[in-house]
Amino acid sequence: LDMKQQLAMVLGAVALRHGPDEEALAAETIALYEEVLAKRREQADGTENKMTISTMNNMAYFLGRRDDPRALGLFEQVVKGRTRLMGPKDIGTLNARQNLAQEQIKRGQIDLATSALKEVCEGKIENIGLSNPSTLRSIAVLLDCLVTGGDIKAAHTWLRRIERLSISRYPAQLVAAIEKIEAAK
């Protein structure tokens, strides 16, 4: 199963790189993920474990990159499973919640995404610190979401929190979010 999942990941990367020209490859990738997920669930007697959650996450990522609406439901399952297995403050759970929020943004669910992203950022600040690159990338996603939702005031509040950091180089994603806030002034 691990080899099939790795094959699905490689085929998925190729399909994403070549876009709509590779519909057959994308269909094969999805079929492989579905097969691996079904077998992992069968092995786990229908319960979610780290392996089924990993497969769901990889499949959701692939589907999300293709703008497939099924990604949202899979990301929701990943969050539920990781929360149950690892707890709500686990970094992997927080990353899963961020992935779900990013999918919610694509689907126009800005309020849900904003609420989740604030919790993700606070959780990461508490666990790994404000200056950690993972935290800063999460803040960048939150800033982008806040600007998209028109809450420039909240975006500035979050921006002030990171301006106090003496970081020589911000992640590119954060720089782009800051530029978006400046343009919205």
Side-chain angles (χ1 to χ4, degrees):
L1 286 181
D2 290 339
M3 290 298 288
K4 281 193 176 187
Q5 182 164 333
Q6 289 176 357
L7 177 60
M9 290 168 64
V10 170
L11 290 176
V14 171
L16 289 172
R17 190 172 302 122
H18 294 285
D21 298 337
E22 291 295 337
E23 286 305 313
L25 190 56
E28 186 176 345
T29 300
I30 293 167
L32 265 173
Y33 274 128
E34 288 171 341
E35 177 187 344
V36 171
L37 184 56
K39 286 185 180 181
R40 289 204 190 283
R41 284 183 169 144
E42 182 181 308
Q43 288 176 341
D45 294 326
T47 61
E48 304 301 345
N49 60 30
K50 287 183 180 182
M51 296 307 291
T52 58
I53 291 168
S54 172
T55 302
M56 281 190 291
N57 188 65
N58 292 338
M59 184 175 176
Y61 176 79
F62 176 73
L63 292 172
R65 290 282 310 268
R66 294 183 49 75
D67 248 355
D68 188 313
R70 294 177 289 178
L72 186 63
L74 280 171
F75 277 129
E76 288 170 346
Q77 290 177 51
V78 170
V79 169
K80 286 177 187 169
R82 283 204 61 91
T83 301
R84 185 179 53 77
L85 290 174
M86 306 304 292
K89 299 285 185 173
D90 175 73
I91 294 301
T93 302
L94 294 171
N95 287 334
R97 290 186 69 203
Q98 180 174 323
N99 291 341
L100 172 58
Q102 288 176 288
E103 196 62 32
Q104 289 169 328
I105 292 167
K106 284 198 257 179
R107 308 280 170 233
Q109 300 172 358
I110 303 300
D111 291 341
L112 281 173
T114 300
S115 175
L117 287 168
K118 286 178 182 176
E119 291 174 10
V120 165
C121 291
E122 293 296 349
K124 286 188 174 185
I125 290 167
E126 182 182 318
N127 287 331
I128 57 176
L130 180 60
S131 62
N132 186 286
S134 178
T135 304
L136 293 173
R137 283 190 296 275
S138 296
I139 291 172
V141 175
L142 172 60
L143 291 174
D144 196 41
C145 185
L146 289 167
V147 171
T148 299
D151 195 348
I152 305 304
K153 184 177 176 181
H156 278 287
T157 300
W158 275 92
L159 190 55
R160 281 192 294 280
R161 289 178 79 174
I162 60 171
E163 283 177 339
R164 294 185 290 248
L165 298 174
S166 57
I167 296 175
S168 60
R169 186 169 164 220
Y170 290 114
Q173 191 176 11
L174 184 56
V175 172
I178 292 169
E179 289 171 352
K180 202 172 191 181
I181 292 170
E182 295 301 317
K185 280 185 177 179

